[in-house]
Amino acid sequence: MLETRLLSSLAKIFPDEISGESLPQTLAMRNEPLSFQIAYRSSRLDRKDLPFYIQIESDLDLKNLASYKEGYVPVVHAATLEPDDYYDRTRPGLYPDLP
């Protein structure tokens, strides 16, 4: 099974959890950048890299579109010994980061 969600570009996506509210729609004014992310996760554990293709149909010139793939970094110490409420997570694991 493949789970996909359209989210704000500010949402943090962890490998074990897609959190945040899905975007039903989004708008941008003329000449204003619009950013969003598509999070996906597969229940197939035997695949390290799942091929995922996106087709974009737009009246915009392709030079105005950009896409990025986010990766993960291992974090051993995710919080201080006495964490406050501002941490997304406090346990070790994989955290989102650009490759």
Side-chain angles (χ1 to χ4, degrees):
M1 182 173 130
L2 182 67
E3 176 187 1
T4 60
R5 296 205 18 218
L6 182 66
L7 301 162
S8 162
S9 60
L10 300 176
K12 291 184 181 162
I13 308 304
F14 294 91
D16 62 338
E17 177 186 14
I18 297 177
S19 60
E21 286 192 33
S22 294
L23 295 174
Q25 67 180 8
T26 184
L27 299 170
M29 300 298 284
R30 185 180 302 202
N31 295 325
E32 179 180 294
L34 173 66
S35 298
F36 61 90
Q37 60 183 331
I38 299 171
Y40 66 94
R41 167 172 80 171
S42 173
S43 60
R44 292 180 58 184
L45 300 176
D46 60 330
R47 300 285 306 260
K48 180 177 170 40
D49 290 318
L50 179 71
F52 192 78
Y53 301 96
I54 298 173
Q55 180 176 339
I56 298 172
E57 295 181 16
S58 174
D59 294 335
L60 298 175
D61 188 355
L62 288 178
K63 69 179 182 179
N64 294 320
L65 300 174
S67 64
Y68 305 93
K69 180 180 178 184
E70 188 165 298
Y72 295 98
V73 294
V75 174
V76 177
H77 300 287
T80 61
L81 293 175
E82 297 178 17
D84 56 28
D85 294 336
Y86 297 105
Y87 284 92
D88 290 329
R89 290 186 168 192
T90 57
R91 63 183 185 272
L94 293 174
Y95 281 68
D97 190 22
L98 288 174

